[in-house]
Amino acid sequence: MEPHAACSCFGVNGKLVIFILLSLCLHVCLSDTNVRNSLMTVEDAEDESETEAVVENEDEHDLQDMEVFYPTREWQVVKPGQAVPPGLHMRLNLQTGRNEAKLPDGHHDTDNQRPAPQSSSFSEAYTKKELKEALAKFKEGHNLKSEQADVEEVKRRFRPIEDLKKEFRELNLNIETDFDIMTKIINRFNNSVSTTAEKVNALYDLEYYVHQVDNAQNLHRLGGLQLIISSLNSTEPSLIEHSAFVIGSALASNPKVQIKAFEGGVLQKLLAVLATEQPVSVKKKALYALSSLLRQFPYAQQQFLKLGGLQVLKNFFKEKNTEPLFVRVITLLYDMIMEKILLQKESNIELAREKKHQYDQINVTEAITEQGWCKIISNLLSLPENDAREKVLKMLSVLTASCKDEFLEDRSLHDLLDLLRNEFEEFVEEEEKSEETDGYFRELVGLVNEISDKLK
């Protein structure tokens, strides 16, 4: 460092000059050390929180980027906080009390320009954002090996997307629609060389598809519906049973198919199956198909009554081993009666008017009363299952007005109602103790009381 000539002007002795020079050297060394330590603190930060701690140590009012001192061949004042590149001549101006620095002698700076960015580690300002990005890149480089290992592991465990796309394209070539599958099944069923077992298997497969509305309608378009209706005339009970099963599944809640099946003569064929001697399993499926045809189809109900359908069903109660059909029959008749009753609550006036005109053509309740069903239904209260009792009680409730005379004369009915009331009330107490909320037995008690009140 060069001593300042102004020292002699104050008349200071040699010891003072030496002391000032030592102080200047110590100040320069400490300034250089602080600058280097400041840089190292940022570079050695291991995470983002340490970087933020360094930035927060700056003057909270000075939010500008760190200022860099750009030296020339002339002495310049070094402002507090400026980053000073290493290798410069520095001095303390005793007149102003400020640090000054310049380029060493012999350094070429003919253009008096700022150093190029690559000439100094402080060649450009560093913002908070840039320090964070630099730290993130440092971390990325630190974890590069582990990331590469993860990539290799993914490549090992998963197949390339192009290979998967190729296989998907190949699979798409073999995909068949439900329509295609049903066509093959119907052809298999209609094949003249197919055995009864093969036809039964075809019907079993077909029943799976016709639950869907569109598939059931496609069954008619393919001609399969009429083929299956015709097979109800078969002499093979297994073929009749599975044919009725397919018909029942196809007709359920599907008005278009109901109409097509009715036009195809399915009502007459089902009544013929139910009226002839057949295994109970066959009649069960035929009754299922009949129920699917009659529900929400008043014209079919009208024809059912005209063709003696009630008498056919009544015969079940005289035959042997037909007990599994009793509740099914009562449920079908109850639904037919309730359809007409619920029509009065229809919100769509136009639709209700049209339906009402159709239901006015039939009177299931009157037909049941005339054909002697009142006694048959009341006797069913002796069935042991509560589910069966519930359905019978509901049927008795809607028939009380038309069957009142028969019910009043039937003392066994009153005794059964009293027994059921006592039994159900015990179950109600158990429900309350167990805190069950469905109130199933309380509802049954309500039905029994309702019927008893109507018969007073």
Side-chain angles (χ1 to χ4, degrees), residues 48-266:
E48 186 174 328
S49 63
E50 292 186 19
T51 302
E52 293 176 354
V54 172
V55 177
E56 289 174 358
N57 287 334
E58 297 177 357
D59 186 2
E60 61 180 1
H61 299 291
D62 184 11
L63 300 178
Q64 302 298 325
D65 297 336
M66 185 181 293
E67 187 177 357
V68 180
F69 176 79
Y70 295 100
T72 64
R73 289 183 297 174
E74 302 296 333
W75 290 103
Q76 297 184 76
V77 175
V78 179
K79 298 179 181 179
Q82 278 190 317
V84 180
L88 301 181
H89 285 306
M90 298 192 66
R91 72 180 183 185
L92 176 63
N93 191 324
L94 298 178
Q95 291 182 340
T96 62
R98 295 183 178 181
N99 293 327
E100 297 179 351
K102 73 170 185 175
L103 291 171
D105 293 340
H107 189 280
H108 299 286
D109 189 22
T110 55
D111 297 331
N112 194 26
Q113 295 180 344
R114 294 185 175 185
Q118 64 272 22
S119 64
S120 172
S121 59
F122 282 94
S123 60
E124 59 180 355
Y126 292 92
T127 64
K128 290 183 181 181
K129 181 179 179 181
E130 290 169 338
L131 289 172
K132 291 180 181 179
E133 292 176 352
L135 180 59
K137 291 180 180 179
F138 172 77
K139 289 183 178 180
E140 290 175 0
H142 183 70
N143 297 326
L144 183 59
K145 291 183 179 180
S146 60
E147 290 181 358
Q148 289 176 345
D150 292 340
V151 171
E152 294 299 326
E153 177 64 16
V154 171
K155 288 182 178 180
R156 185 184 67 81
R157 294 179 57 188
F158 299 97
R159 300 165 61 188
I161 187 63
E162 294 302 326
D163 293 349
L164 294 176
K165 288 182 178 180
K166 181 180 179 182
E167 292 192 8
F168 286 151
R169 286 194 295 268
E170 293 175 355
L171 288 174
N172 287 337
L173 297 177
N174 299 323
I175 289 180
E176 292 181 314
T177 64
D178 288 356
F179 187 90
D180 298 330
I181 296 173
M182 290 174 58
T183 301
K184 291 182 178 181
I185 295 174
I186 293 171
N187 291 336
R188 178 156 44 102
F189 173 80
N190 196 36
N191 194 328
S192 58
V193 298
S194 295
T195 63
T196 300
E198 291 173 339
K199 289 185 177 183
V200 168
N201 288 333
L203 290 170
Y204 182 83
D205 294 338
L206 194 59
E207 195 274 336
Y208 171 81
Y209 289 95
V210 297
H211 285 279
Q212 297 186 23
V213 173
D214 293 341
N215 287 341
Q217 294 176 6
N218 287 333
L219 178 66
H220 165 68
R221 296 188 185 98
L222 291 169
L225 180 62
Q226 193 59 47
L227 284 173
I228 296 172
I229 291 174
S230 300
S231 68
L232 293 174
N233 293 327
S234 173
T235 57
E236 294 289 341
S238 60
L239 196 58
I240 298 173
E241 177 182 349
H242 284 82
S243 296
F245 191 27
V246 173
I247 292 171
S249 298
L251 270 57
S253 302
N254 200 329
K256 291 184 179 180
V257 183
Q258 283 178 303
I259 294 172
K260 297 300 180 182
F262 180 83
E263 293 174 348
V266 70

